[in-house]
């Protein structure tokens, strides 16, 4: 986080991450005062992450580290799904390699540290893919 603050834009390496933060603050203020949502974040095509950020700010205050820890948790859960999906199609050694690559490549870590919605989307996609494979195979336990 200190590195992101050091490189500029108040800890957001990309402008859209700063926009998510700004719109989350505005929506949290609108919710707190009970006024109509007028910002572009609440009227966008996909306002879900803006509202998630706003409610996180309402619960924990204006702290971007809290939402980033939640996103890191999503990346960690995605790691488990990568292992289980790879285990369905390949052997355990390959599944461990895939999970290791997911864990130590910098892209998922940087996405979660930068306050973007991508880790949540990845978790939802992996969740749906894993369970659809289980249902498709029609295993008795599922």
């Amino acid at each position: 986080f200190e590195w992101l603050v050091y490189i500029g834009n108040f800890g957001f390496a990309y402008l859209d991450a700063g926009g998510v933060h700004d719109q989350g603050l505005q929506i949290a203020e609108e919710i707190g005062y009970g006024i109509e949502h007028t910002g572009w974040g609440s009227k966008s095509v996909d306002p879900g992450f803006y509202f998630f950020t706003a409610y996180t700010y309402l619960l924990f205050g204006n702290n971007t580290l809290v939402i980033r820890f939640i996103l890191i948790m999503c990346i960690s859960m995605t790691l488990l799904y990568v292992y289980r999906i790879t285990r369905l199609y390949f052997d355990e050694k390959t599944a461990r390699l895939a999970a290791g690559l997911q864990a130590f490549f910098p892209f998922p870590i940087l996405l979660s540290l930068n306050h973007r919605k991508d880790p949540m989307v990845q978790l939802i996609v992996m969740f749906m893919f894993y369970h659809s494979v289980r249902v498709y195979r029609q295993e008795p336990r599922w």
Side-chain angles (χ1 to χ4, degrees):
F1 181 73
E2 289 179 10
W3 176 74
L4 287 172
V5 172
Y6 175 75
I7 63 173
N9 202 17
F10 304 108
F12 304 103
Y14 300 102
L15 292 177
D16 58 345
V20 168
H21 170 69
D22 292 340
Q23 288 304 308
L25 283 175
Q26 182 178 358
I27 293 172
E29 182 179 337
E30 292 166 351
I31 291 170
Y33 288 123
I35 59 177
E36 182 182 349
H37 303 300
T38 57
W40 59 264
S42 58
K43 298 190 185 326
S44 69
V45 176
D46 186 18
F49 193 63
Y50 299 116
F51 278 97
F52 181 78
T53 303
Y55 283 113
T56 304
Y57 287 164
L58 283 173
L59 287 174
F60 299 105
N62 181 13
N63 189 353
T64 61
L65 285 178
V66 172
I67 188 98
R68 292 172 196 217
F69 281 129
I70 293 171
L71 295 176
I72 289 170
M73 181 191 66
C74 291
I75 288 292
S76 301
M77 292 298 294
T78 302
L79 176 70
L80 297 174
Y81 279 111
V82 165
Y83 176 80
R84 295 196 70 170
I85 290 169
T86 310
R87 186 74 177 105
L88 287 173
Y89 292 106
F90 301 102
D91 59 342
E92 187 171 337
K93 187 176 180 180
T94 307
R96 285 183 183 175
L97 176 66
L101 290 175
Q102 171 73 13
F104 294 110
F105 272 174
F107 186 66
I109 297 169
L110 289 177
L111 277 180
S112 60
L113 287 177
N114 197 25
H115 196 139
R116 297 174 67 153
K117 67 180 175 183
D118 299 12
M120 285 188 152
V121 172
Q122 287 176 3
L123 177 63
I124 292 168
V125 167
M126 296 299 271
F127 175 83
M128 290 188 325
F129 182 72
Y130 176 72
H131 291 285
S132 64
V133 166
R134 287 292 199 175
V135 169
Y136 178 72
R137 288 184 172 190
Q138 296 180 356
E139 296 178 11
R141 294 181 310 168
W142 292 83

